[in-house]
Amino acid sequence: MDTLSSSFLEKHCITSPPLLHLQFKTPTVRINLNSKPKISSSMGTTVHTSKEQKITGKKKQSLLTNFFKSLDDFVCKFIDPPHRPSVDPKIVLSGNFAPVDELPPTACEVEEGAIPPCLDGAYIRNGPNPQFTPRGPHHLFDGDGMLHSIKISNGKATFCSRFVKTYKYTVERDIGFPIIINFFSAYTSLLATMARYTVAVGRVISGQYDFRRGTGNANTSVAHFGGKLFALCESDLPYAFYQTPRGDIITLGRHEDYGAPLESMTAHPKVDYETGEAFAYRHNIKRPYLTYFRINPDGIKQPEVKIFSKKQASLVHDFAITKNYAIFPDSQIVIRPAEVMKGNQPALVDPTKVPKLGIIPRYAEDEKEMWWVEVPGLNFVHAVNAWEEDGGDTIVMVAANVLAVEHFMERLDMTHSLIERIEINVKTKIVTRRPMAARCLDFPVINPAYVGKKTRYMYAAILSAGPKVAGVAKLDLSLSTVESGDCTVASRLYGPGCYGGEPCFVPREPDNPTAEEDDGYIVNYIFNEITQESKFIVMDTKSPNLEIVAIVKLPQRVPYGFHGMFVRECDLQKLY
């Protein structure tokens, strides 16, 4: 759920990487983004440093490290105002939101039932898990990415939890504490913000980290396309990883083929099951505020479409595709870096703005055919799916609309997420909407084979107080007519003190073209706050009450997180 691009640092901290282009007579560091820095003289000859010089360099680095850490501590103790609930670590990281340590592959006990054979593969879910206890303010979205995986083979399960080894994670791990600014919690007051960015500039100039190598935490979602697995967040480029045959998770590195050093990519790419293509975008704080692109089945990014018709920076966390179109939101959640100079958060809600939807041809080479339509009150964060009807004259999109959006950044417990059917007439540019369920539902998923196609069934998390998930609901989208009411056809609550996360649908016969769309299973991690245990559960989506057919006891607690996916064993084999 990251909002800000790493280009924020480029624009508001440093202009043209400082000192890196200056010529000194003394030895300087040349930074190569694809290799370790090399020491070279101003004349280009290699300088061989002695052991004494290396020790002196380490001492200087240690002195600088401790100096900047002291400044950080001073800001946190004496300049920061009292923490708001949304950035108070004692609140944000309490209960099952608290981080856990890494866990190597560990065998699990199937406590009840039997794991269906179609689940041979791995369910991998991402989420925030700070590797260090925050010294100052901390937002839920700021934690380091951790992948929690359960690998299944012949009914037996192995569980593993590993950090995504991002550049941010490894730099801070090696130095021993956090040094890279957290975008969601850094802006507590004007004085504190300016002090933090002054320290950040000093760290960059002194070589403690190179912001061009990425500052994102890869904590939002997981995707599989182009023959690779990725951990993603929208403030950075994706990080490729793979899973070993025994169930361990290995980070391969930042995938820079999908953008320049200071660019990012969405955490919600759309993968067409039939063509193997992935569709993605990046949003930015400067024009163009939106850039759309396609990745072919071989994982090669195609030419970008820069969208200059979007007039201001706003949160574009998700989008939808159909056979012929891509649909983007322009919500009331705007990003205004200038607000930092007033002591405010750069991401805020503009109640005077009228939300819009932008429609562009799926294979557009430029934005000439893109058009925008106003849709008052529509602030969707997660899209369910989209398709075309009436011979292509109508685009149907289903999305989770955030009501009371003014509380989105600070009080998630005061928002209500409403599943809506949105119909866009391509000829008249008229939009009609209607709700499809009364419950507060979000984190919607479908059968992945139906991305961009007409969809009948969806599954969504039933939200409880705050971001906790109390259960899962199944909706029949074919029931959504002008006269229809609630389209929920099945649901299951996890029980007192039990909460989960985003559901994940796994088809029972993925290679059978005649299989029914809802023939499969929902899998999820569940935490019991009474017994303090985490479990992996499997639910039958064809049963009227989403009957639980298997429960696996996990060897470690799994914190509440964000998005995940199931990867079949045949696809995992291709990664080895």
Side-chain angles (χ1 to χ4, degrees):
M1 296 281 292
D2 302 277
T3 299
L4 296 183
S5 166
S6 58
S7 58
F8 185 91
L9 283 171
E10 176 191 22
K11 184 175 180 182
H12 295 275
C13 284
I14 314 166
T15 57
S16 180
L19 302 186
L20 296 180
H21 299 299
L22 298 181
Q23 297 296 318
F24 291 95
K25 293 182 179 180
T26 54
T28 59
V29 176
R30 290 182 180 173
I31 294 180
N32 183 329
L33 299 183
N34 297 313
S35 63
K36 296 180 180 179
K38 296 180 179 180
I39 304 298
S40 63
S41 73
S42 59
M43 298 300 293
T45 56
T46 302
V47 176
H48 298 281
T49 56
S50 66
K51 183 177 180 180
E52 182 181 350
Q53 287 174 315
K54 289 180 180 179
I55 293 173
T56 302
K58 288 181 180 179
K59 288 181 178 179
K60 289 181 178 179
Q61 181 69 18
S62 178
L63 288 173
L64 280 173
T65 299
N66 292 331
F67 173 70
F68 290 131
K69 183 178 183 296
S70 298
L71 292 179
D72 266 343
D73 290 340
F74 182 84
V75 173
C76 295
K77 291 180 181 178
F78 301 107
I79 300 182
D80 270 329
H83 296 321
R84 308 185 310 276
S86 63
V87 294
D88 187 341
K90 295 179 181 178
I91 298 173
V92 174
L93 298 179
S94 63
N96 196 40
F97 291 100
V100 295
D101 293 330
E102 288 191 316
L103 182 74
T106 305
C108 304
E109 173 192 355
V110 179
E111 194 172 73
E112 293 183 24
I115 302 175
C118 68
L119 292 184
D120 268 22
Y123 169 58
I124 309 170
R125 202 220 62 199
N126 206 341
N129 193 83
Q131 66 169 317
F132 295 110
T133 301
R135 300 200 305 275
H138 181 86
H139 193 280
L140 176 64
F141 299 162
D142 285 331
D144 297 288
M146 177 172 273
L147 300 173
H148 304 275
S149 169
I150 183 164
K151 191 173 188 302
I152 302 167
S153 179
N154 298 319
K156 297 182 178 180
T158 301
F159 181 77
C160 177
S161 293
R162 293 293 190 190
F163 280 106
V164 185
K165 305 304 191 297
T166 62
Y167 176 70
K168 175 184 183 296
Y169 169 87
T170 54
V171 166
E172 293 182 337
R173 178 199 61 193
D174 293 345
I175 209 166
F177 49 84
I179 65 171
I180 295 177
I181 287 178
N182 287 324
F183 294 123
F184 286 94
S185 56
Y187 313 99
T188 56
S189 70
L190 177 58
L191 182 58
T193 299
M194 293 301 101
R196 282 195 174 93
Y197 271 88
T198 300
V199 174
V201 171
R203 282 175 165 149
V204 172
I205 292 174
S206 67
Q208 284 198 345
Y209 72 92
D210 181 357
F211 69 92
R212 298 171 301 171
R213 298 179 64 183
T215 57
N217 41 27
N219 70 2
T220 307
S221 68
V222 178
H224 177 224
F225 58 88
K228 293 182 176 63
L229 283 173
F230 295 103
L232 308 100
C233 70
E234 64 202 43
S235 66
D236 206 338
L237 295 174
Y239 275 81
F241 71 94
Y242 79 100
Q243 187 164 51
T244 68
R246 62 185 294 266
D248 210 346
I249 293 174
I250 309 296
T251 302
L252 298 176
R254 190 168 182 251
H255 200 71
E256 297 183 347
D257 291 348
Y258 296 158
L262 294 175
E263 292 181 330
S264 60
M265 192 182 106
T266 176
H268 287 291
K270 303 301 176 187
V271 181
D272 188 306
Y273 186 82
E274 289 186 355
T275 68
E277 300 167 294
F279 298 83
Y281 64 91
R282 65 178 59 90
H283 65 94
N284 206 341
I285 60 171
K286 61 182 180 180
R287 294 190 71 196
Y289 298 114
L290 186 65
T291 300
Y292 170 57
F293 55 92
R294 177 172 60 94
I295 299 166
N296 73 14
D298 296 322
I300 301 172
K301 185 170 77 72
Q302 303 303 294
E304 299 179 346
V305 178
K306 298 183 183 299
I307 299 174
F308 291 94
S309 57
K310 191 172 186 296
K311 302 302 182 183
Q312 59 178 307
S314 64
L315 175 66
V316 187
H317 181 66
D318 200 358
F319 77 129
I321 61 167
T322 70
K323 180 180 179 181
N324 295 296
Y325 299 100
I327 304 99
F328 291 94
D330 185 9
S331 71
Q332 291 177 300
I333 306 171
V334 299
I335 304 169
R336 295 174 179 167
E339 289 293 319
V340 173
M341 303 307 297
K342 303 176 185 178
N344 300 327
Q345 298 281 328
L348 67 156
V349 174
D350 181 357
T352 66
K353 178 183 176 181
V354 179
K356 297 178 181 179
L357 290 176
I359 295 89
I360 188 170
R362 171 165 151 160
Y363 294 103
E365 296 180 356
D366 54 48
E367 66 164 332
K368 291 178 181 177
E369 296 183 62
M370 187 170 193
W371 49 279
W372 296 84
V373 58
E374 292 186 347
V375 192
L378 179 64
N379 291 286
F380 83 79
V381 175
H382 293 124
V384 179
N385 199 20
W387 62 89
E388 297 162 36
E389 294 184 354
D390 304 325
D393 290 343
T394 302
I395 297 173
V396 178
M397 181 172 68
V398 180
N401 185 25
V402 179
L403 307 181
V405 68
E406 64 273 13
H407 299 300
F408 180 75
M409 295 301 298
E410 296 290 326
R411 292 291 305 273
L412 285 174
D413 58 312
M414 295 182 67
T415 64
H416 185 93
S417 187
L418 184 68
I419 301 295
E420 292 190 15
R421 177 186 174 102
I422 303 146
E423 296 183 2
I424 309 163
N425 190 299
V426 176
K427 291 185 175 180
T428 65
K429 308 297 191 290
I430 294 175
V431 179
T432 58
R433 299 157 52 198
R434 52 181 178 270
M436 303 181 65
R439 275 173 163 155
C440 182
L441 303 177
D442 205 342
F443 294 100
V445 298
I446 61 170
N447 184 325
Y450 285 77
V451 170
K453 298 179 180 179
K454 187 171 183 177
T455 309
R456 180 172 179 180
Y457 296 105
M458 62 162 284
Y459 313 86
I462 302 172
L463 298 186
S464 181
K468 290 184 180 181
V469 173
V472 60
K474 175 184 178 181
L475 276 63
D476 185 342
L477 306 185
S478 70
L479 301 178
S480 177
T481 64
V482 175
E483 296 83 16
S484 70
D486 197 315
C487 300
T488 303
V489 293
S491 65
R492 170 170 287 275
L493 296 176
Y494 298 134
C498 293
Y499 301 95
E502 176 191 64
C504 176
F505 178 85
V506 184
R508 188 169 63 87
E509 298 180 284
D511 296 322
N512 181 5
T514 64
E516 294 182 319
E517 180 186 337
D518 65 336
D519 186 9
Y521 301 93
I522 288 291
V523 299
N524 208 342
Y525 292 136
I526 306 298
F527 179 70
N528 187 321
E529 296 188 346
I530 300 172
T531 64
Q532 296 291 298
E533 291 180 326
S534 285
K535 296 181 181 181
F536 171 76
I537 65 169
V538 182
M539 294 170 276
D540 181 0
T541 55
K542 296 287 283 185
S543 63
N545 63 345
L546 304 180
E547 177 187 357
I548 296 177
V549 299
I551 299 177
V552 179
K553 184 177 180 180
L554 300 180
Q556 177 170 278
R557 178 173 61 85
V558 180
Y560 302 128
F562 298 141
H563 305 284
M565 71 178 301
F566 181 83
V567 187
R568 299 168 62 191
E569 180 61 29
C570 61
D571 291 322
L572 289 175
Q573 291 287 340
K574 297 173 184 177
L575 301 174
Y576 301 149

